[in-house]
Amino acid sequence: MRIIRGKFKGRHITPPNNITARPTTDFAKEGLFNMLDLELDYEEICALDLFTGCGSISFELVSRGCQKVTGIEQSPVQIGFIKKTIEQLKITEFSIIKADVFKYINSTSAQFDFIFADPPYELTTLAEIPDLIFQNNLLADDGLFILEHSKKNNFESHPNFEKERNYGNVHFSFFRKK
């Protein structure tokens, strides 16, 4: 796992072998952030990273200047790795919360300018995530929500769908409040 740009540019972070997460590939992450660079002012946003996994997206956001990133992850192994990396890099802008993503979405009153979700592709409730984000008003008015998924999912008919981009087997669906 590599940090592409920003203050930690080029830094390689190696998750332990017992991690069960599937990190977003460097190729897909680089393509995603090339688009986000045109849409986000990192220093001005509050971000939420759902299904944080190894923290690849969160660390990239912090590296690019994001002042507040909240990660939601359930696995103690992944959380331990993220906390260790936060400590090694002396990061104060990233906080990780051990929680079930669906319970968090349904219980928080916080709003975010940018939300990224990278659930397990085989998650049976993956298609419900966009509805939950908008029903619970987690996205700020001018915010952007991106859901990573496989090609078997299609969100074009969702009322808040904006566009989809794919990088090999990785698909990103973009959503905004309408």
Side-chain angles (χ1 to χ4, degrees):
M1 183 169 86
R2 173 179 61 93
I3 298 178
I4 301 163
R5 284 204 189 112
K7 64 184 174 182
F8 300 117
K9 178 183 178 179
R11 182 86 177 237
H12 286 271
I13 301 169
T14 307
N17 292 334
N18 60 345
I19 285 260
T20 57
R22 169 206 30 80
T24 303
T25 65
D26 282 351
F27 171 68
K29 185 169 72 170
E30 189 162 2
L32 173 66
F33 274 91
N34 284 341
M35 286 187 291
L36 292 179
D37 287 348
L38 302 172
E39 298 199 33
L40 299 178
D41 181 355
Y42 298 107
E43 294 176 3
E44 300 294 322
I45 64 167
C46 179
L48 176 64
D49 185 2
L50 299 171
F51 305 94
T52 307
C54 299
S56 176
I57 299 297
S58 291
F59 289 123
E60 191 70 40
L61 286 165
V62 169
S63 183
R64 292 172 188 240
C66 193
Q67 296 301 306
K68 184 171 187 205
V69 179
T70 302
I72 309 299
E73 176 56 52
Q74 198 167 9
S75 166
V77 174
Q78 274 94 278
I79 290 171
F81 169 72
I82 289 169
K83 286 182 175 180
K84 180 181 171 188
T85 306
I86 286 171
E87 190 176 294
Q88 287 173 344
L89 297 177
K90 298 176 176 56
I91 292 173
T92 58
E93 304 88 351
F94 178 17
S95 60
I96 186 75
I97 297 171
K98 183 183 186 307
D100 174 271
V101 165
F102 294 96
K103 288 180 182 175
Y104 178 83
I105 288 172
N106 288 311
S107 67
T108 189
S109 60
Q111 275 198 326
F112 300 89
D113 305 298
F114 176 65
I115 300 173
F116 182 82
D118 180 11
Y121 288 179
E122 68 279 355
L123 185 70
T124 57
T125 53
L126 186 146
E128 299 171 19
I129 296 170
D131 287 336
L132 292 171
I133 295 295
F134 290 101
Q135 287 168 3
N136 289 289
N137 203 28
L138 265 67
L139 193 63
D141 287 341
D142 293 329
L144 174 63
F145 165 52
I146 298 176
L147 176 62
E148 181 176 332
H149 56 88
S150 70
K151 67 180 177 181
K152 74 178 182 181
N153 297 99
N154 185 316
F155 294 96
E156 289 178 7
S157 64
H158 192 279
N160 298 96
F161 177 83
E162 185 175 79
K163 62 186 172 188
E164 181 180 317
R165 296 293 183 263
N166 65 304
Y167 298 90
N169 295 326
V170 178
H171 292 248
F172 297 112
S173 285
F174 290 64
F175 302 84
R176 291 189 189 269
K177 281 186 179 178
K178 301 281 178 174

